[in-house]
Amino acid sequence: MSSLAYDVLVIGSGAAGLSLALRLADHARVAVLSKTALTESNTLYAQGGISAVLDEGDSIESHIQDTLVAGAGLCDPETVRLVVSHGKECIDWLVERGVPFTEVESENGGHHLHLTREGGHTHRRVVHAADATGLAVETSLEQHTRAHPGIAVFEYHNVIDLITAKKLGGREPRVLGAYVLDSQAQKVKTFRARHVVLASGGASKVYLYTSNPDIATGDGIAIAWRAGARVANMEFIQFHPTCLFHPHARSFLISEAVRGEGGRLLLADGSPFMPRFDPRGELAPRDVVARAIDHEMKRLGVDCVFLDVSHQPAEFIKSHFPTIYARCLELGIDITRQPIPVVPAAHYTCGGVLTDHGARTDIPGLYAVGEVACTGLHGANRMASNSLLECLVFAKQAAEDILQGLQDQPNPPELPEWDESQVTDSDEEVVVSHNWDEIRRFMWDYVGIVRTDKRLQRALRRVELLKQEIAEYYGNFRVTSDLLELRNLVIVAELIIRSALLRKESRGLHFTLDYPGLEERKPPGNTILVP
């Protein structure tokens, strides 16, 4: 099979990948790879919204300051200013593409976008589409992507590894393309491209409990690492404080906006507890709220706490949170009358592949946008609803950088086809499922919300053994999507553990009982790992 050639290969189909593809497609031949269906991504499940300064009483400086405070001293101020300053422009871009954001009537009889408030924000600045913002954004972008003649969509295509000139014996590390498994045809294809963009999302599936879909296995981080790119701040994993706790629900997210609209966290006896942990109460940053819930659950030996918004009018709840209301009602919970049982779950990867303001990685021709990247925006903790904004802004930045130099970059040479002459079909798939479960369980137990050096060392010993076992398995058997995800998952687990061991302090999302205070060095540094 001859290789497939494009100007730009986009790996991932969430808000970052699709908005980037659409910005490029009038001027370049673009291929978008999606591991499963095109819309299946973290974006699709994002409920809260997108933060942007749109209200007259708000300001760019206020949004910047809120982000810096949430980031606990590790944000890059220039990156924060870059992202925040382009907020309105990116919202306008989405509105032009038909995203149906929630509006309210203005005093003059017109309409304007409704803004809600979430944890860490001092103003109402979160644009949303009821409580299913990600669904609205993703489906609108999907329609435009499928309709654009300049974009080729490849669903159920899972990247195995990047191809670089260095891997082929050259001196330059430049990316030339990728080997990709067509998981429906069970064939490996070779894609050539002048530029490759990682937009493959985060890695929260490395934990036992997560709000993320099954595809969030850190693929982009792992393949960039294997290709020679640096990663940074992998110890900062955000645990969303409020995921639905129910035996028949798979970590259904209860949006931050529920607390933003007055939802209160309660113990089983109805008593509030957040004021004991932070004066901001339920509107404290997510790491504070998640640790408070974790503390109370362990102190009392209970399975969950409760989030109560039933004091709000029933129609207000149904109109603001229709998705949450409907899903909870399916499970026998009427949130207009009852509190919602909730637990924390792994939600967002603040670290990732190190990039600059043009979304460029260490490898020439390779870009990273969205959750897969570490841009400097989030620092040690992501503030609510800054993530979709980051996707949109850095997709714009990457598109501009790619188009600027596209014509100067020659087409890559013909690439060798994938060789599987030395492997066979596996007769023991149980190894994959067993190792997958083992990684996710020890990561939850030893590298979760509260850590210690002893727990981290236990996790490191296990991950080193598993990495060897998985590498041996990968070398002997034909690739499958499950095997590729497992291979990536063990890399990501090791990167998180090694990063956590290097940080001898508690900062932002990384909390360790051995070092409960902040490190003395000023300013604090990023945790950068080099392959």
Side-chain angles (χ1 to χ4, degrees), residues 82 355-361 366-369 394 396-402:
L82 169 71
T355 62
D356 64 11
H357 286 176
R360 294 180 292 251
T361 71
L366 181 66
Y367 295 75
V369 291
F394 274 95
K396 182 185 79 68
Q397 294 294 110
E400 291 174 357
D401 194 82
I402 289 170

Side-chain angles (χ1 to χ4, degrees), residues 213-501:
D214 288 344
I215 61 167
T217 49
D219 305 318
I221 296 170
I223 65 174
W225 174 259
R226 287 195 296 267
R230 291 176 299 165
V231 300
N233 293 350
M234 288 297 294
E235 69 272 33
F236 297 121
I237 302 294
Q238 186 173 72
F239 292 84
H240 198 289
T242 54
C243 285
L244 178 64
F245 179 76
H246 192 279
H248 302 302
R250 290 184 56 194
S251 296
F252 179 74
L253 187 68
I254 305 298
S255 169
E256 183 106 13
V258 174
R259 285 180 284 130
E261 296 295 346
R264 298 173 298 176
L265 285 164
L266 308 173
L267 300 176
D269 63 4
S271 60
F273 60 88
M274 275 310 303
R276 288 192 276 112
F277 293 89
D278 194 285
R280 292 166 289 187
E282 279 75 7
L283 288 177
R286 289 175 176 176
D287 63 308
V288 176
V289 180
R291 280 200 298 274
I293 295 173
D294 184 68
H295 178 274
E296 292 300 288
M297 287 171 57
K298 288 175 178 172
R299 180 177 71 87
L300 297 170
V302 296
D303 292 328
C304 65
V305 297
F306 296 88
L307 179 60
D308 187 18
V309 73
S310 63
H311 54 282
Q312 294 280 24
E315 286 309 310
F316 174 89
I317 294 170
K318 292 176 184 178
S319 64
H320 277 69
F321 310 113
T323 306
I324 297 172
Y325 172 76
R327 180 61 177 140
C328 287
L329 201 60
E330 287 175 3
L331 299 168
I333 305 165
D334 183 350
I335 68 173
T336 66
R337 299 183 178 188
Q338 301 167 264
I340 309 166
V342 293
V343 292
H347 184 60
Y348 191 85
T349 310
C350 283
V353 184
L354 201 58
T355 62
D356 64 11
H357 286 176
R360 294 180 292 251
T361 71
D362 296 327
I363 300 172
L366 181 66
Y367 295 75
V369 291
E371 193 175 350
V372 70
C374 182
T375 65
L377 173 64
H378 306 304
N381 187 7
R382 176 184 72 105
M383 191 167 69
S385 290
N386 269 358
S387 52
L388 283 176
L389 177 63
E390 181 187 40
C391 288
L392 298 167
V393 172
F394 274 95
K396 182 185 79 68
Q397 294 294 110
E400 291 174 357
D401 194 82
I402 289 170
L403 291 175
Q404 190 173 16
L406 187 63
Q407 299 308 318
D408 298 331
Q409 180 59 38
N411 284 319
E414 284 292 339
L415 303 175
E417 295 298 315
W418 180 256
D419 181 9
E420 54 181 22
S421 60
Q422 303 300 312
V423 297
T424 61
D425 290 323
S426 172
D427 59 355
E428 45 187 10
E429 287 289 335
V430 68
V431 173
V432 174
S433 59
H434 176 86
N435 288 353
W436 175 285
D437 291 341
E438 187 175 347
I439 290 170
R440 297 180 67 215
R441 187 166 294 279
F442 75 63
M443 287 296 290
W444 183 261
D445 290 341
Y446 298 148
V447 201
I449 297 172
V450 177
R451 302 162 180 173
T452 66
D453 279 352
K454 190 174 182 179
R455 293 174 189 170
L456 293 173
Q457 290 291 352
R458 282 180 187 147
L460 184 61
R461 286 194 294 272
R462 282 159 177 75
V463 84
E464 287 174 340
L465 288 171
L466 283 173
K467 193 168 73 164
Q468 293 174 11
E469 190 172 301
I470 293 165
E472 182 182 349
Y473 188 96
Y474 174 80
N476 290 325
F477 300 112
R478 286 192 177 89
V479 294
T480 65
S481 280
D482 287 345
L483 176 55
L484 294 178
E485 288 182 333
L486 177 65
R487 180 176 178 241
N488 293 331
L489 209 66
V490 76
I491 293 286
V492 170
E494 183 181 26
L495 294 173
I496 294 170
I497 297 164
R498 291 194 182 280
S499 297
L501 282 166

